[in-house]
């Protein structure tokens, strides 16, 4: 059974940081592209980033460039999203997903985890 379990969300003040993790099981993590997406209340889902199996090619949406860092540890079957300089607009549920993605073609919904809530609040 494929499982993607996100963790690390929470409440943070504007300007703060959080590190999300996604623990993966049920498939060969080291051979798959992985992605992060998010969904804010009342908004469409939004692709954030994708990383290749080797971890040396990362595509990032414009709003995340310079603030969000995507990485992976294939030995631990874990995907990470380091988020810095968070602002109110970053409040959303964050999902990891199996597969590549882009702004126009995000990963399939059926390949997402259950998500972790990130709330930016003063």
């Amino acid at each position: 059974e494929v499982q993607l379990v996100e963790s690390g969300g929470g409440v943070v003040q504007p300007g703060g940081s959080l590190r999300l993790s996604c623990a993966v099981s049920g498939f060969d993590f080291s051979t798959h592209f992985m992605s992060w997406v998010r969904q804010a209340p009342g908004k469409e889902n939004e692709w954030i980033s994708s990383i290749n199996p080797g971890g040396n090619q990362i595509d990032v949406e414009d709003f995340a460039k310079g603030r969000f860092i995507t990485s992976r540890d294939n030995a631990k079957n874990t995907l990470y999203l380091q988020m810095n300089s968070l602002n109110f607009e970053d409040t959303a549920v964050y999902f990891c997903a199996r597969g590549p993605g882009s702004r126009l073609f995000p990963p399939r919904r059926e390949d997402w985890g259950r998500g972790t809530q990130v709330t930016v609040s003063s």
Side-chain angles (χ1 to χ4, degrees), residues 20-115:
L20 306 184
S21 298
C22 173
V24 167
S25 61
F27 66 96
D28 189 352
F29 178 73
S30 67
T31 64
H32 281 73
F33 277 79
M34 296 293 296
S35 299
W36 287 100
V37 294
R38 70 182 185 182
Q39 188 157 27
K43 295 185 178 180
E44 296 290 323
N45 65 68
E46 193 170 32
W47 170 76
I48 299 170
S49 64
S50 293
I51 185 169
N52 72 334
N56 60 350
Q57 178 185 333
I58 304 168
D59 295 318
V60 183
E61 180 60 285
D62 288 345
F63 72 81
K65 289 179 179 177
R67 297 193 303 131
F68 293 5
I69 302 169
T70 300
S71 63
R72 64 192 296 161
D73 186 335
N74 287 343
K76 296 182 178 179
N77 285 358
T78 303
L79 178 72
Y80 301 101
L81 183 67
Q82 175 68 43
M83 303 188 295
N84 303 316
S85 302
L86 287 163
N87 56 56
F88 296 121
E89 290 71 33
D90 294 317
T91 295
V93 180
Y94 285 71
F95 302 86
C96 66
R98 180 173 64 169
S102 66
R103 179 188 307 169
L104 293 180
F105 301 103
R108 301 181 310 172
R109 185 62 182 89
E110 53 264 43
D111 290 327
W112 299 11
R114 292 191 175 184

